[in-house]
Amino acid sequence: MKNTYNNKIAYAILAAGEGTRMRSTLPKVLFDICGKTMIEYVLETVAQTDYAGKVYIIVGHKADIVKDAILKSSIDNKLKQRLIFVYQKQQLGTADAVKQLNKKLPRCVKYLVVLSGDVPLISPSTINRLISLHIEAKVDCTVASFITNEPTGYGRIVRDISKHFVEIVEEIDATDAQKLIKEVNAGVYVFSLPQLWSAISKVKPENKKGEYYLTDTLKYIKSKQAVQCGDAKEFKGVNSREELTEVIEYVRHKIINNLMRSGVTIMLPQTVYVDWNTKVGEDTQILQGCIIMNSQIGRSCVIGPNSYINFSNIGNNVTVTYSHIVSANIGDNCSIGPFSRIRPETTIADNVSIGNFVEIKKSEIKSGTKINHLSYIGDTTILNNVNIGAGTITCNYDGIRKHKTYIGKRVFIGSNVNLIAPINVGDNVVIAAGSTISKDVPANTFVIARTKEIHKPNHRIVKRLLMKHNGENDE
Ligand code: UD1
Ligand code: CA
């Protein structure tokens, strides 16, 4: 039965506003909420309702950027085919935004469902309910309302003494008595056509903001209802960064709970942020203070405390402690940190140990290798079972270009070695501590490159030292 309505229903999503109160160069509907933009939430919800139908997105402020972001987003392709972008030249208000659809909708459309791009958490079931209540009641407009103890910022639902819905008064235009009303406009409506068009043509910008309010159409629509469906959380409108944070917090909580239900332990969950684009395997523990985005984490890992992981794949049974990992692949049974930095285009195989204060960039590290302390490894390939001593540096940059380092299997590099790239070090090489190596080292070679060491007993410098400490008791 619901399918019979598909041609009769169209959706309008208001997304043309600048979002002045965000004070940002980014259009408001493109703000990120745990890995998806605000408008993606609204679009995904529309895709899940029982009523298909074209989706008209009204864009204006930075229209091309908004349109591009939507088309490039990961929303379902079927939904993308339902989208039609409509341009609102000047942001004269929500009524003017909806008015852009007049004469653009096919004649068969009888109901227009209006949603706001900045009300991201609305659920498909609420929209379904609103539509079916509207059709059943045979009214010209159904407004979703909700009761809140914090009505500030929302339009108030004004009812007469017999509780009949009369009008919506915007906060800025409300009297002190009206401001006390706790039933507010969610910004989600179903309008019957063509009644909407005649009402919208009567709306005037006679209010404190000087805008054409969509809510003023209710003054000209007699047959209407305001229905309380859904809850305050799902109708949260995002106008400021504080409100954005509230919405992010709600979504974050939901993601964390989903993870825990799927077998992930999360310590101090209030300090952990994981986005929708991240998957975490069973029996992994995420300790406090972690931020994990766009990543895949395997089973039985221990991540954290205080680690940042983005655009990375991490295998099973890996520990990541106080570390920063971006665009890297890490195999199974590795240990990363504390205090490691793994930079983009790095691939680390299984059973690798990367220790404290080690930075790795654009490098490939094969299995069994250990880089345990204070190293910089850049543009480097290191084969299996290599031991890199403390303080080893690949000198990959000559001030103009980057050069590559290659280190063969089972190489043992002592502490504080500089490898001046481009350089190849063959299999089974041993490099003495403190060496600066600038020539290729063939396989099976021991190499030492230090200046000659000179010892001078009772040198005058030693005597000076002794004089300075003369008479001191250092027992
Ligand atoms: C609006 C409602 C208010 C309701 C609240 C719910 C009006 C006049 N007020 O207020 O009753 O309680 O939503 O969240 O409608 N937009 C355009 N073109 C414009 C102006 C706005 O596309 O010319 C878009 C915005 O990008 C935004 C949406 O419409 O996505 C709502 O506009 P906004 O200015 O945020 O309205 P509110 O003040 O929140
Ligand atoms: Ca708003």
Side-chain angles (χ1 to χ4, degrees):
M1 124 97 180
K2 283 170 181 164
N3 287 335
T4 61
Y5 282 102
N6 287 351
N7 294 331
K8 293 187 179 172
I9 285 177
Y11 295 87
I13 302 179
L14 308 184
E18 180 184 343
T20 333
R21 288 162 279 181
M22 299 300 275
R23 293 181 176 268
S24 175
T25 52
L26 187 70
K28 180 165 71 177
V29 296
L30 297 188
F31 268 80
D32 183 88
I33 300 168
C34 300
K36 282 191 275 193
T37 60
M38 213 183 292
I39 189 122
E40 275 178 75
Y41 282 80
V42 182
L43 290 168
E44 283 183 359
T45 299
V46 167
Q48 289 168 40
T49 61
D50 291 340
Y51 303 87
K54 293 282 183 208
V55 182
Y56 294 82
I57 305 181
I58 295 130
V59 289
H61 174 73
K62 299 200 174 167
D64 290 341
I65 295 174
V66 175
K67 191 175 160 183
D68 266 21
I70 292 172
L71 292 175
K72 282 189 191 133
S73 74
S74 57
I75 57 165
D76 190 67
N77 266 334
K78 270 194 197 146
L79 177 65
K80 279 187 189 164
Q81 285 157 16
R82 283 166 60 193
L83 301 182
I84 297 163
F85 290 90
V86 177
Y87 186 61
Q88 183 195 18
K89 208 169 172 185
Q90 270 184 296
Q91 283 62 68
L92 301 177
T94 43
D96 181 70
V98 174
K99 204 175 169 184
Q100 307 307 313
L101 299 186
N102 194 1
K103 306 208 169 73
K104 287 211 173 67
L105 304 180
R107 270 164 188 268
C108 54
V109 176
K110 295 282 175 266
Y111 306 106
L112 184 66
V113 182
V114 177
L115 304 164
S116 295
D118 67 350
V119 181
L121 299 183
I122 186 165
S123 72
S125 60
T126 297
I127 297 176
N128 287 339
R129 238 191 109 216
L130 207 65
I131 296 172
S132 60
L133 287 172
H134 181 83
I135 294 171
E136 269 165 44
K138 297 195 169 68
V139 287
D140 293 337
C141 179
T142 300
V143 178
S145 72
F146 64 100
I147 306 284
T148 172
N149 285 327
E150 293 163 16
T152 311
Y154 294 100
R156 306 297 201 275
I157 302 286
V158 179
R159 294 181 186 269
D160 62 18
I161 32 171
S162 48
K163 301 269 181 252
H164 286 126
F165 170 37
V166 180
E167 60 170 344
I168 300 175
V169 179
E170 289 305 304
E171 163 104 26
I172 190 173
D173 306 303
T175 62
D176 286 347
Q178 286 169 330
K179 279 188 184 142
L180 297 175
I181 299 174
K182 289 183 174 170
E183 185 181 11
V184 297
N185 171 23
V188 182
Y189 322 75
V190 185
F191 288 101
S192 294
L193 304 179
Q195 290 86 331
L196 170 65
W197 304 131
S198 63
I200 228 168
S201 67
K202 293 179 189 138
V203 171
K204 294 188 191 70
E206 287 164 2
N207 49 59
K208 290 215 176 103
K209 272 194 172 171
E211 285 186 3
Y212 293 86
Y213 289 162
L214 184 61
T215 43
D216 277 353
T217 55
L218 277 313
K219 289 184 181 151
Y220 311 106
I221 293 175
K222 279 217 173 66
S223 156
K224 63 196 167 195
Q225 59 180 348
V227 293
Q228 288 165 25
C229 52
D231 60 30
K233 276 194 202 88
E234 69 172 289
F235 289 135
K236 182 85 211 160
V238 177
N239 298 308
S240 64
R241 296 198 193 230
E242 290 99 311
E243 285 166 335
L244 178 72
T245 303
E246 276 180 52
V247 169
I248 290 174
E249 186 49 24
Y250 177 80
V251 175
R252 187 193 67 83
H253 206 252
K254 195 164 152 182
I255 295 172
I256 296 285
N257 283 345
N258 286 348
L259 284 174
M260 293 202 271
R261 264 178 241 129
S262 73
V264 178
T265 295
I266 301 186
M267 297 288 283
L268 294 182
Q270 63 274 32
T271 68
V272 171
Y273 176 95
V274 180
D275 74 355
W276 285 120
N277 309 320
T278 294
K279 291 201 168 66
V280 184
E282 279 176 19
D283 288 324
T284 283
Q285 297 178 47
I286 301 177
L287 309 184
Q288 60 267 33
C290 289
I291 296 177
I292 310 175
M293 302 184 287
N294 309 300
S295 294
Q296 186 127 9
I297 314 281
R299 279 176 278 110
S300 303
C301 294
V302 180
I303 309 293
N306 297 351
S307 294
Y308 175 91
I309 302 174
N310 201 355
F311 297 113
S312 295
N313 288 315
I314 293 188
N316 300 321
N317 200 31
V318 171
T319 62
V320 174
T321 314
Y322 290 101
S323 291
H324 193 279
I325 301 175
V326 176
S327 300
N329 287 306
I330 294 172
D332 297 339
N333 310 314
C334 291
S335 162
I336 312 290
F339 310 107
S340 305
R341 179 174 182 207
I342 314 292
R343 291 172 53 194
E345 295 183 62
T346 293
T347 299
I348 294 173
D350 301 341
N351 305 307
V352 169
S353 170
I354 308 290
N356 39 264
F357 309 107
V358 172
E359 174 180 350
I360 301 185
K361 185 215 87 173
K362 206 175 178 180
S363 293
E364 188 176 2
I365 318 286
K366 296 286 194 189
S367 65
T369 286
K370 293 183 171 66
I371 312 169
N372 277 337
H373 338 260
L374 303 146
S375 271
Y376 171 65
I377 304 293
D379 304 296
T380 298
T381 300
I382 304 180
L383 299 191
N384 314 63
N385 302 317
V386 169
N387 195 311
I388 305 276
T392 295
I393 306 291
T394 55
C395 309
N396 62 328
Y397 187 46
D398 59 12
I400 297 161
R401 271 177 300 161
K402 301 279 165 69
H403 301 283
K404 292 202 158 106
T405 298
Y406 174 94
I407 299 170
K409 289 182 186 174
R410 294 174 293 272
V411 168
F412 182 93
I413 300 184
S415 296
N416 217 23
V417 165
N418 299 310
L419 296 164
I420 307 210
I423 190 163
N424 288 303
V425 176
D427 291 348
N428 312 314
V429 162
V430 176
I431 302 180
S435 297
T436 294
I437 309 291
S438 57
K439 288 189 281 220
D440 287 356
V441 185
N444 309 313
T445 303
F446 169 69
V447 54
I448 176 162
R450 296 180 197 145
T451 51
K452 199 176 160 215
E453 191 168 306
I454 303 162
H455 291 221
K456 295 187 175 175
N458 302 317
H459 188 268
R460 63 181 166 81
I461 294 177
V462 176
K463 287 182 182 146
R464 206 168 65 193
L465 179 79
L466 288 172
M467 267 169 69
K468 187 178 157 200
H469 291 288
N470 193 17
E472 277 176 20
N473 180 7
D474 50 13
E475 291 311 308

